[in-house]
Amino acid sequence: MPLATLKDLKSPKGKRVLLRVDFNVPLGPKGEIGHEEDARIRAALPTIQRLRKAGARVIIVSHLGRPEGREAKYSLRPVAEHLAKLLDKDVPLIADGFDEDRLVDKKIAAMKNGDVSMLENIRFYKGEDSNGSFLARRLASFADVYVDDAFAVAHREAASNVGVTKHLPSYAGLLLETEVKHLDKLLGKPKKPFVVLMGGAKISSKLPTLKKLLAIADTVMVGGGMANNFFRAMGLDMGRSLVAPEDVKTAKGLLARHKHTLLLPKDVLVATRLDDKAEPRYCRPGEIRKDEHVVDLGAETIREWAAVIKKARTIVWNGPVGLFEVKKFSHGSISLGRMVAARSSGKAFGVVGGGETVQCLLRTGMEEYVDHVSTGGGAMLEYLAGKSLPGIKPLMKRSKKK
Ligand code: 3PG
Ligand code: MG
């Protein structure tokens, strides 16, 4: 694995390190971050501490959510405060514009060895998502070297994880290095049966990956929002559940080509409201009423899928199979999470990844049984589907800048 890592970063003392992390974590209504929710933040601590101990000045860059411009609810302030608690050290948030004044530069110049500061949500700045060269250069101007620990966003080609590497010597952080090391065990020849469990809401972006996984895996179980598109493609009425016409088209093609590999829910849980006051009922996918949403897997499906997981030698899980944040709708995600964990470490090589998926896993209390818990959701799936990720490529030694 020819990644340039922290071992290759010579004499970090006094250096300004631009550290890209993925602190895209769910915030409570008042910006609170609970223990199940801060897994991605804790995962980057080893790199932050290693750099601090070596005397570097750490400038953290992250995105949060998908804001349209500067939306206050996507500010990283609560995240900076949370990190400060974990580090027991101030983490000032630098929220100034990059092009107006030189305030950012002054704040960074005032940092001392071992200090940590955090830039405001990088998606507030023009050019992040489009990998704009102004933003990439500006970010690079803040630092002497670049360290990337943002595995979870490595499938995106943005200014702060790809563009910036053109202008600074770039290294993988400890988390990114570990992710790649573990996931590489699955590339090539996964032990069979290779079973994938997929759900979640980010459907469009995961369909191309699903396509690739269908070609490699023995069984791919698709639940959650993703499954709705397949049901729609079969001509079923999905009531008030979200379906995307584009995805339905893709789903149709996949159904025709992969009917032996693709496993869809036999029954589902549906409800007319999306909170704990709901009175959900089980039904077949063809029996969903106009005013109902699909909120979880049905009981029969959970049993059937559990049996598939029990035979697996390799298991990958990404995406909750229902609206697990509502307790009444969490049964499918939690019970399958338990099954995946129980089957892992020993009987099967088990990998679980994604922000929400890891939250589910932590709720089972069985996370230590899983062979690798990945911070990446989409990134993990794309990596496993054999894609070279835009965020990882520039960290390879051969393309590393001097
Ligand atoms: C994630 O949570 O999957 C990553 O942080 C990437 O976020 P994105 O899907 O909004 O690019
Ligand atoms: Mg996510």
Side-chain angles (χ1 to χ4, degrees):
M1 182 188 56
L3 275 177
T5 66
L6 291 189
K7 282 197 199 92
D8 303 294
L9 168 52
K10 304 291 179 229
S11 51
K13 194 168 174 194
K15 286 210 171 107
R16 297 166 303 161
V17 176
L18 192 75
L19 174 64
R20 179 52 158 114
V21 295
D22 187 327
F23 285 172
N24 187 17
V25 297
L27 302 177
K30 290 189 190 115
E32 339 58 288
I33 303 170
H35 182 73
E36 281 161 11
E37 284 80 36
D38 76 348
R40 281 182 170 173
I41 304 179
R42 285 182 284 114
L45 290 178
T47 299
I48 299 173
Q49 295 292 37
R50 168 80 66 95
L51 290 169
R52 286 189 59 211
K53 270 200 196 116
R57 306 163 184 205
V58 186
I59 306 149
I60 293 179
V61 183
S62 178
H63 69 282
L64 178 73
R66 294 177 175 177
E68 312 257 346
R70 260 183 197 265
E71 283 183 79
K73 66 171 177 189
Y74 291 115
S75 169
L76 276 175
R77 190 164 299 280
V79 176
E81 283 164 9
H82 190 79
L83 177 65
K85 270 188 231 145
L86 295 177
L87 292 175
D88 194 19
K89 174 165 186 42
D90 263 2
V91 178
L93 184 80
I94 303 180
D96 313 273
F98 289 170
D99 42 5
E100 296 124 42
D101 37 49
R102 292 275 151 192
L103 269 176
V104 186
D105 305 73
K106 280 185 201 140
K107 287 178 184 172
I108 290 172
M111 287 176 72
K112 302 202 168 57
N113 293 2
D115 276 358
V116 182
S117 60
M118 192 183 289
L119 299 180
E120 183 53 290
N121 189 346
I122 196 63
R123 288 188 179 167
F124 283 1
Y125 297 88
K126 229 177 94 204
E128 166 63 0
D129 292 336
S130 58
N131 189 11
S133 64
F134 172 79
L135 185 61
R137 270 174 216 281
R138 196 67 181 99
L139 281 170
S141 76
F142 299 149
D144 305 300
V145 295
Y146 171 75
V147 173
D148 193 344
D149 233 0
F151 176 75
V153 78
H155 57 320
R156 309 273 180 238
E157 188 167 344
S160 68
N161 73 328
V162 175
V164 71
T165 63
K166 287 201 194 120
H167 310 292
L168 287 176
S170 304
Y171 306 88
L174 298 170
L175 171 63
L176 195 139
E177 193 188 347
T178 308
E179 292 271 13
V180 168
K181 196 172 92 194
H182 279 103
L183 295 176
D184 276 352
K185 288 189 198 147
L186 270 189
L187 282 173
K189 277 207 161 77
K191 282 203 177 137
K192 300 199 147 225
F194 176 16
V195 171
V196 178
L197 172 60
M198 241 170 129
K202 289 181 187 173
I203 302 156
S204 304
S205 57
K206 281 182 191 169
L207 270 178
T209 316
L210 172 62
K211 224 185 251 178
K212 290 220 177 71
L213 289 171
L214 278 166
I216 319 169
D218 297 290
T219 307
V220 181
M221 298 173 282
V222 173
M226 239 183 165
N228 298 340
N229 295 280
F230 287 94
F231 291 136
R232 195 50 190 274
M234 295 169 175
L236 305 183
D237 190 345
M238 295 315 290
R240 284 160 70 194
S241 312
L242 277 185
V243 280
E246 254 317 289
D247 295 343
V248 173
K249 232 171 88 195
T250 319
K252 222 179 223 162
L254 292 178
L255 269 176
R257 254 171 289 127
H258 298 281
K259 51 173 182 291
H260 300 298
T261 314
L262 185 65
L263 203 54
L264 290 168
K266 261 202 187 125
D267 59 342
V268 287
L269 188 70
V270 291
T272 51
R273 52 186 296 168
L274 300 179
D275 55 27
D276 265 317
K277 292 206 182 88
E279 289 173 25
R281 67 177 188 106
Y282 288 122
C283 71
R284 303 273 154 202
E287 299 164 351
I288 300 162
R289 295 181 196 137
K290 289 253 174 293
D291 60 341
E292 288 174 328
H293 302 257
V294 176
V295 291
D296 197 2
L297 297 178
E300 215 179 297
T301 305
I302 298 174
R303 273 198 302 277
E304 187 190 77
W305 290 13
V308 175
I309 294 170
K310 261 190 182 159
K311 292 198 184 113
R313 309 272 320 271
T314 305
I315 313 171
V316 175
W317 173 32
N318 166 251
V321 290
L323 299 178
F324 81 100
E325 37 311 359
V326 179
K327 197 152 185 261
K328 275 190 177 164
F329 311 149
S330 65
H331 184 58
S333 302
I334 302 290
S335 18
L336 290 180
R338 284 203 190 104
M339 292 300 306
V340 170
R343 182 73 194 161
S344 301
S345 62
K347 294 172 222 96
F349 188 74
V351 176
V352 175
E356 292 194 320
T357 319
V358 172
Q359 250 174 282
C360 281
L361 179 68
L362 293 180
R363 235 175 255 189
T364 68
M366 292 173 72
E367 64 277 9
E368 74 263 33
Y369 297 106
V370 174
D371 297 280
H372 179 57
V373 179
S374 175
T375 52
M380 171 191 79
L381 290 177
E382 287 198 19
Y383 193 82
L384 290 179
K387 264 211 182 150
S388 99
L389 303 186
I392 293 183
K393 242 197 211 157
L395 307 171
M396 300 296 195
K397 267 184 179 159
R398 53 179 148 54
S399 62
K400 203 190 114 191
K401 290 210 154 185
K402 286 273 138 54

